[in-house]
Amino acid sequence: QVQLVESGGGLVQPGGSLRLSCAASGSIFSIHAMGWYRQAPGKQRELVAGITSGGRQTYADSVKGRFTISRNNAESTVYLQMNSLKLEDTAVYYCNLVTRETQYWGQGTQVTVSS
Protein backbone atom coordinates (compact mmCIF):
# COMPACT_ATOMS: atom_id res chain seq x y z
CA GLN A 1 0.00 0.00 0.00
CA VAL A 2 1.40 3.36 -1.05
CA GLN A 3 0.37 6.59 0.63
CA LEU A 4 1.03 10.13 -0.50
CA VAL A 5 0.74 12.81 2.15
CA GLU A 6 0.60 16.41 0.97
CA SER A 7 1.15 19.56 2.98
CA GLY A 8 1.76 23.26 2.48
CA GLY A 9 -1.46 24.51 0.97
CA GLY A 10 -3.28 27.55 2.25
CA LEU A 11 -4.46 31.07 1.59
CA VAL A 12 -2.08 33.59 0.03
CA GLN A 13 -2.37 36.99 -1.59
CA PRO A 14 -1.61 37.53 -5.26
CA GLY A 15 2.13 37.75 -5.76
CA GLY A 16 2.82 35.60 -2.74
CA SER A 17 4.51 32.24 -2.43
CA LEU A 18 3.73 28.78 -1.12
CA ARG A 19 5.68 25.55 -0.98
CA LEU A 20 3.88 22.23 -1.31
CA SER A 21 5.39 18.98 -0.09
CA CYS A 22 4.41 15.40 -0.81
CA ALA A 23 5.91 12.46 1.05
CA ALA A 24 5.43 8.94 -0.28
CA SER A 25 5.46 5.93 2.01
CA GLY A 26 4.77 2.23 1.74
CA SER A 27 5.91 -0.46 -0.68
CA ILE A 28 7.37 1.68 -3.42
CA PHE A 29 9.38 0.13 -6.20
CA SER A 30 10.72 1.62 -9.39
CA ILE A 31 9.38 5.15 -9.14
CA HIS A 32 9.30 6.57 -12.64
CA ALA A 33 8.10 10.05 -11.89
CA MET A 34 6.39 12.26 -9.36
CA GLY A 35 4.46 15.40 -9.95
CA TRP A 36 1.68 17.80 -9.14
CA TYR A 37 -1.71 18.23 -10.76
CA ARG A 38 -4.42 20.73 -9.92
CA GLN A 39 -8.15 20.98 -10.36
CA ALA A 40 -10.09 24.20 -10.14
CA PRO A 41 -13.89 24.23 -9.67
CA GLY A 42 -15.64 23.31 -12.89
CA LYS A 43 -12.40 22.44 -14.67
CA GLN A 44 -10.55 19.26 -15.51
CA ARG A 45 -7.52 18.14 -13.55
CA GLU A 46 -4.37 19.36 -15.25
CA LEU A 47 -0.66 18.70 -14.93
CA VAL A 48 1.20 21.49 -13.19
CA ALA A 49 4.71 20.07 -13.01
CA GLY A 50 6.43 16.70 -13.08
CA ILE A 51 9.89 15.32 -12.47
CA THR A 52 11.28 11.95 -13.50
CA SER A 53 13.59 9.76 -11.46
CA GLY A 54 16.40 11.09 -13.63
CA GLY A 55 15.54 14.69 -12.81
CA ARG A 56 13.87 15.72 -16.07
CA GLN A 57 11.26 18.39 -15.36
CA THR A 58 8.04 19.29 -17.13
CA TYR A 59 5.88 22.38 -16.51
CA ALA A 60 2.54 23.64 -17.69
CA ASP A 61 2.99 26.78 -19.78
CA SER A 62 0.91 28.74 -17.30
CA VAL A 63 3.40 28.18 -14.46
CA LYS A 64 6.74 28.26 -16.25
CA GLY A 65 9.10 30.72 -14.62
CA ARG A 66 6.97 30.89 -11.46
CA PHE A 67 6.85 27.33 -10.14
CA THR A 68 9.75 24.98 -9.47
CA ILE A 69 9.49 21.27 -8.82
CA SER A 70 12.18 19.38 -6.95
CA ARG A 71 12.58 15.93 -5.54
CA ASN A 72 14.41 14.10 -2.79
CA ASN A 73 14.80 10.58 -4.14
CA ALA A 74 16.17 9.17 -0.91
CA GLU A 75 13.06 10.29 0.97
CA SER A 76 10.56 9.78 -1.89
CA THR A 77 9.46 13.35 -1.44
CA VAL A 78 8.53 15.91 -4.06
CA TYR A 79 8.19 19.65 -3.59
CA LEU A 80 6.52 22.44 -5.53
CA GLN A 81 7.77 25.95 -4.90
CA MET A 82 5.13 28.38 -6.14
CA ASN A 83 6.09 32.02 -6.54
CA SER A 84 4.27 35.03 -7.97
CA LEU A 85 0.95 33.31 -7.38
CA LYS A 86 -2.04 34.49 -9.35
CA LEU A 87 -5.77 34.32 -8.75
CA GLU A 88 -6.02 31.65 -11.44
CA ASP A 89 -3.67 29.37 -9.51
CA THR A 90 -6.47 28.73 -7.03
CA ALA A 91 -7.24 25.01 -7.07
CA VAL A 92 -6.89 21.75 -5.22
CA TYR A 93 -3.37 20.47 -5.83
CA TYR A 94 -2.80 16.72 -6.02
CA CYS A 95 0.45 14.84 -5.70
CA ASN A 96 1.01 12.04 -8.21
CA LEU A 97 3.46 9.14 -8.22
CA VAL A 98 3.99 6.94 -11.27
CA THR A 99 5.58 3.49 -11.21
CA ARG A 100 5.97 0.91 -13.96
CA GLU A 101 2.69 -0.71 -12.99
CA THR A 102 0.39 2.03 -11.84
CA GLN A 103 0.04 5.49 -10.39
CA TYR A 104 -1.01 6.86 -7.03
CA TRP A 105 -2.70 10.06 -5.93
CA GLY A 106 -2.64 12.11 -2.79
CA GLN A 107 -5.77 13.40 -1.12
CA GLY A 108 -5.22 16.94 -2.36
CA THR A 109 -4.38 20.22 -0.69
CA GLN A 110 -6.24 23.48 -1.26
CA VAL A 111 -4.38 26.51 -2.56
CA THR A 112 -6.37 29.72 -2.55
CA VAL A 113 -5.00 32.94 -4.00
CA SER A 114 -7.11 35.88 -2.96
CA SER A 115 -6.76 39.51 -1.98
Side-chain angles (χ1 to χ4, degrees), residues 1-46:
Q1 186 74 12
V2 173
Q3 286 189 323
L4 302 177
V5 179
E6 300 136 332
S7 61
L11 173 64
V12 64
Q13 293 185 337
S17 298
L18 284 175
R19 188 188 193 217
L20 305 183
S21 300
C22 172
S25 62
S27 301
I28 305 171
F29 302 98
S30 300
I31 296 177
H32 172 64
M34 296 184 74
W36 292 92
Y37 286 71
R38 67 185 180 187
Q39 187 167 19
K43 295 187 177 181
Q44 290 188 332
R45 190 173 296 189
E46 62 175 357

Side-chain angles (χ1 to χ4, degrees), residues 10 14 16 51 57 63 68 70 78:
I51 184 168
Q57 301 173 17
V63 306
T68 302
S70 59
V78 65

Side-chain angles (χ1 to χ4, degrees), residues 89-104:
D89 294 319
T90 295
V92 178
Y93 284 70
Y94 296 91
C95 179
N96 175 258
L97 184 155
V98 179
T99 69
R100 288 182 181 178
E101 295 81 22
T102 188
Q103 62 178 335
Y104 301 91

Side-chain angles (χ1 to χ4, degrees), residues 62-79:
S62 59
V63 306
K64 284 180 180 177
R66 301 188 297 122
F67 291 9
T68 302
I69 191 169
S70 59
R71 178 174 166 180
N72 184 324
N73 286 336
E75 297 180 355
S76 298
T77 302
V78 65
Y79 306 94

